[in-house]
Every structure is written in C-alpha cells, then in structure tokens.
Amino acid sequence: MYKRRLISIYMAFAVLLTGCGEAGGGMRDPGELPDMLYAVPSDALAVCCVSESGAALGRLDSTDRLRSLDLKAFRTSPAVLSMSYSGSLVPSLAIGTGQEDSSMVVTAALRDARRKGIYAAYFAPDRSVGRQGFLTFTTSESQMTALKRHIGRGSSVLDAPGFPDAAALTEGENFTILRNSGAQRLIPKGFLGGAFPQRTLAAFLHKAADWTVLSPEGGDAYRVSTVQGESDLYFVNALASLPFAKSRLGEVLPDSVELALALPLPQPQFREAYEQYVDASVKMTAYRRRLSALESASGKDPLKWEKETDPAEVALVRWDGKAAVLLRPRKAPRTIEVGDNPYRGFIPVLYGEAFALPDDSCRGTVCGWYAIGSREAVEELTGRSELKKDSGWPGRGSHFVLYHAGRFFAWGKKGMKLWNSSL
C-alpha cells in the first residue's frame, strides 16, 4: 500500500473537516495530459503520476512486493501508481514503454514480475487515442482482471465524473489526484494522532469536495486544489467566498504543541455561510434542535452568545496528551480565573465537530483568548502572561492553518499549500 507519508500528504487536507478548500488555478488542455492516465481504471481512489518510474516505486511501503520489480530498463520512463479498492486497498503500477510494440526488455520485465508472484500485462500503443504502450503490474489477480477489462474496452479514470476537471489543474507529469469519496479507505488508523474520529472525518471528506489535487512545488512542498460542484452541500463552497482574516494562534501555542488547527471567523459572513451549508446538508432541523437544547441547559442562546462574544478565531490545540479549544474575541475579554464553563457544547455546534472536546467543563483566559477544556488543560494554558513572538505561524490573510508533527497545511491568499516546518 501507499507509504504513510503519501497518505499523510492527502489527509493533511483533513483540515477540510472545518470546512476549507479551493477550486482554482490555471486550466490545462486535455490533450496535454499524460497519456499514462489511460492505464488507470475509472474506479481508482488515488492516482499518482510521475515522470520517472523509480519515483513511483518510492511512493510504496517498503514491504510492498511491487518494490521488488527490476525496472532498471525503464527507470526514466513515465509511470502512474493508482490505488483501487477490492476488499482492501490494491496498488497498480503502469510504466510507459514508448510508441513501439513489444520488445525484449518488455518480455524480460513480464517474466521477472511473474517469477516474483506479481501479475503483469503489456498493452500495445493505441494510436487512436495517441497513447504509448505500457506495462501494468499488481499483486492482485482480481485487480489485473479489472485492469484488462477497463483498458480493453477503452475506459479509464479520465471517464470518471469530475476527474478531467481535476486533471486540468495539474502541470507537467508529476502530481497526485485523490477521490474524496475514497477517504474512508485511505485514512490510516490513528491519523493526526487520533485527534478526530476516523468515521466522522471520512464522512465529512466524502462530501467536502469531489477530487483533491496535489502538485509539487519543490522540496517537500505541495500546492493543493479541490474540484467540486457548485452546490452549498460542499463545505468547500460554503467557505470559499469568505474574506481572508488573520490567525494569531501562534502567539499562544504551548511549546510542546503536537497539533494545532486554527479557523479565523469573519462575521457575519461565517455564520451565514455555515448555516447555508447546514441547510444544504438537510441538517438544519438537527442544528436548531441542538441550539435549543444548549439554550435550555445553559440559559443562554448560543447565537446570541456568539454576537456578544464576537469571536475572531477558534482553534483546537493538542499537546502532551492534553487538548483544549481557544477562542479569540475581537475585543479581549476581561481576565477570569479558571472555573466552570457556563457554555458547554457551544463551540462544536457553532463551528464544527473538529472543535469538539471530550471534556469542556472549564474555562479561563490567556492573553486575550478564552481557553476551554478540562481543568488540567486550561490551568496549564492560562499560566502564561505574555504572547509568544516570531513563532513561525503562517497566520496573515488566512482561511485556516493546520500544524501537525512538523508539517503545515494552510490556505492563504495565494492558495492552499502543504509544507514541512517546525514551530
């Protein structure tokens, strides 16, 4: 299966759980797309195109049998690695062989694969669609049968609804495209340190967008784009029109932060966009029911509380086995001692389940923020008296920022980007 690193590249956009994304970038002419895409079945969940086959093998886990293939004769050939689901995730590798028919090196590669228990097939060039010949390899007999069926009838991932639009956002031969509806199959257990329930995250990503595109920008950085329809049902669309705003979470993060997720809250635009999404998702009745229940329990209407508090940013922070939510009002609140939280449950219903905590019983203040969580977590956060400076937090002009294990994923005015960095 895919290396955990590649899966984490994809699932770093799990920040979409808070409702963020973009559909932008230049459009590529269909005739400029790599012809290796014709080797990918239409039901593929993930597609990774590379200009050289060695890079494709490097995307696989070290234990995958496909890595034992002897591909020296094709080391500079273009390739595509795809993942499909057939009872489990199954990788398929296709390598371009040029415009000529079968040769000795192709025959040798087929023989080597079969000797190693890997299913392999050669497909001659198809000049009717202008594609070169290619070798395909997989460890699954049923997947090879499916590949032969797809390729034999001339179908490919290019026939999948929305995929051509996603492919049009790419450049060159190196890119990764992922099907959001496959999130349940692609998310590894314990992803993001278990910060979000896997089933909830997968269900949200399924409808956050249709396709996600990752394009390398040099080093270990990636530009990220999404493709989806125009409906408010996509949370990507619900937030895409919001104005950018500043995230100041980096000023109050604990030194041992493991995960931090910040969502600026331009108001009243955020509330309007959020409720449009809830309504399109046919969840407005449940949303209002939860608001009513919280008002009955607390004596305060959560929507009135939001207007009075006037939040500019909400964040989730995890460190040293603890977790808390931070809320920054536009006007700094008066300092309060750590005590009972009178507004339990308000944050996740107003800003999304990404900000739900198993314990939100206490509340305090720290440097102009409310800190919410368990007593232990809140007391640790509120012990600081000064803001941190020069934290390296990319908060200027943001829609969101996610930090986890030395990796940032942020959406700013220049688009969404994923890169390695430490705080």
Side-chain angles (χ1 to χ4, degrees):
M1 106 183 300
Y2 271 125
K3 262 186 179 177
R4 196 172 192 82
R5 182 175 69 85
L6 180 60
I7 294 297
S8 69
I9 287 173
Y10 167 38
M11 294 317 303
F13 85 100
V15 71
L16 288 171
L17 183 62
T18 67
C20 310
E22 72 167 356
M27 300 302 290
R28 185 175 183 175
D29 187 275
E32 298 176 352
L33 294 172
D35 61 351
M36 293 305 300
L37 291 173
Y38 285 107
V40 179
S42 58
D43 62 353
L45 303 183
V47 180
C48 179
C49 273
V50 293
S51 58
E52 297 187 354
S53 62
L57 291 179
R59 298 290 189 182
L60 291 166
D61 188 273
S62 60
T63 62
D64 196 292
R65 276 188 293 155
L66 289 181
R67 294 198 65 165
S68 70
L69 290 167
D70 182 2
L71 301 176
K72 294 185 182 66
F74 302 99
R75 63 184 180 279
T76 60
S77 298
V80 60
L81 180 66
S82 62
M83 298 289 290
S84 298
Y85 186 79
S86 180
S88 62
L89 281 176
V90 178
S92 300
L93 176 66
I95 297 175
T97 61
Q99 294 295 339
E100 300 300 323
D101 284 335
S102 175
S103 65
M104 290 180 62
V105 289
V106 168
T107 301
L110 291 171
R111 187 181 301 116
D112 172 69
R114 290 162 183 163
R115 186 169 58 248
K116 293 171 179 176
I118 296 171
Y119 297 92
Y122 170 71
F123 297 88
D126 185 345
R127 291 177 176 80
S128 67
V129 295
R131 71 154 174 80
Q132 63 185 299
F134 51 81
L135 284 160
T136 59
F137 305 93
T138 182
T139 55
S140 165
E141 182 178 12
S142 62
Q143 182 62 16
M144 178 55 72
T145 300
L147 284 168
K148 290 179 177 178
R149 183 175 64 250
H150 279 259
I151 297 169
R153 68 189 183 197
S155 65
S156 71
V157 72
L158 291 165
D159 300 312
F163 185 88
D165 294 328
L169 296 176
T170 67
E171 296 179 5
E173 292 184 280
N174 297 287
F175 55 84
T176 299
I177 301 178
L178 305 123
R179 191 190 300 254
N180 281 53
S181 61
Q184 182 178 355
R185 310 298 185 190
L186 294 169
I187 299 174
K189 291 183 178 179
F191 175 71
L192 291 179
F196 310 110
Q198 185 166 339
R199 181 174 296 181
T200 301
L201 179 56
F204 185 91
L205 288 172
H206 187 167
K207 62 182 180 179
D210 292 326
W211 299 91
T212 297
V213 182
L214 297 107
S215 302
E217 286 198 331
D220 203 21
Y222 294 82
R223 175 172 53 85
V224 184
S225 304
T226 64
V227 169
Q228 62 282 326
E230 297 180 357
S231 169
D232 288 334
L233 180 62
Y234 296 99
F235 211 172
V236 165
N237 293 340
L239 293 190
S241 62
L242 293 182
F244 290 97
K246 186 174 183 178
S247 168
R248 295 176 53 187
L249 180 61
E251 299 174 344
V252 292
L253 286 175
D255 293 333
S256 55
V257 61
E258 298 160 2
L259 180 143
L261 170 61
L263 180 66
L265 300 169
Q267 297 287 11
Q269 297 98 325
F270 176 86
R271 182 55 42 206
E272 294 170 356
Y274 189 86
E275 293 189 345
Q276 284 177 356
Y277 164 75
V278 170
D279 191 31
S281 302
V282 197
K283 293 183 178 179
M284 182 60 76
T285 299
Y287 169 72
R288 289 173 174 164
R289 188 181 297 122
R290 288 182 66 187
L291 291 174
S292 179
L294 289 171
E295 181 178 6
S296 297
S298 65
K300 187 74 173 182
D301 178 354
L303 294 176
K304 290 183 178 179
W305 170 86
E306 180 181 58
K307 289 181 179 180
E308 294 169 2
T309 306
D310 194 18
E313 183 175 3
V314 63
L316 173 71
V317 180
R318 294 171 69 93
W319 77 102
D320 295 337
K322 306 177 187 68
V325 163
L326 290 165
L327 187 77
R328 176 173 62 86
R330 283 174 176 77
K331 181 179 180 181
R334 64 180 179 83
T335 301
I336 59 173
E337 297 295 324
V338 176
D340 290 342
N341 176 17
Y343 308 118
R344 298 182 190 181
F346 278 27
I347 299 298
V349 73
L350 290 173
Y351 309 115
E353 293 303 316
F355 302 101
L357 294 171
D359 184 351
D360 66 346
S361 60
C362 288
R363 183 182 70 160
T365 53
V366 53
C367 300
W369 295 67
Y370 285 113
I372 301 165
S374 67
R375 179 169 291 275
E376 180 185 14
V378 173
E379 286 180 344
E380 187 165 324
L381 282 178
T382 56
R384 179 179 299 135
S385 59
E386 295 182 358
L387 294 172
K388 293 175 66 176
K389 299 296 182 182
D390 302 321
S391 68
W393 185 259
R396 181 176 297 179
S398 297
H399 276 326
F400 70 79
V401 181
L402 171 68
Y403 173 81
H404 175 64
R407 202 164 180 85
F408 273 108
F409 180 53
W411 184 10
K413 293 181 179 180
K414 294 183 179 180
M416 287 195 290
K417 188 174 179 179
L418 177 65
W419 72 99
N420 282 340
S421 182
S422 58
L423 289 171

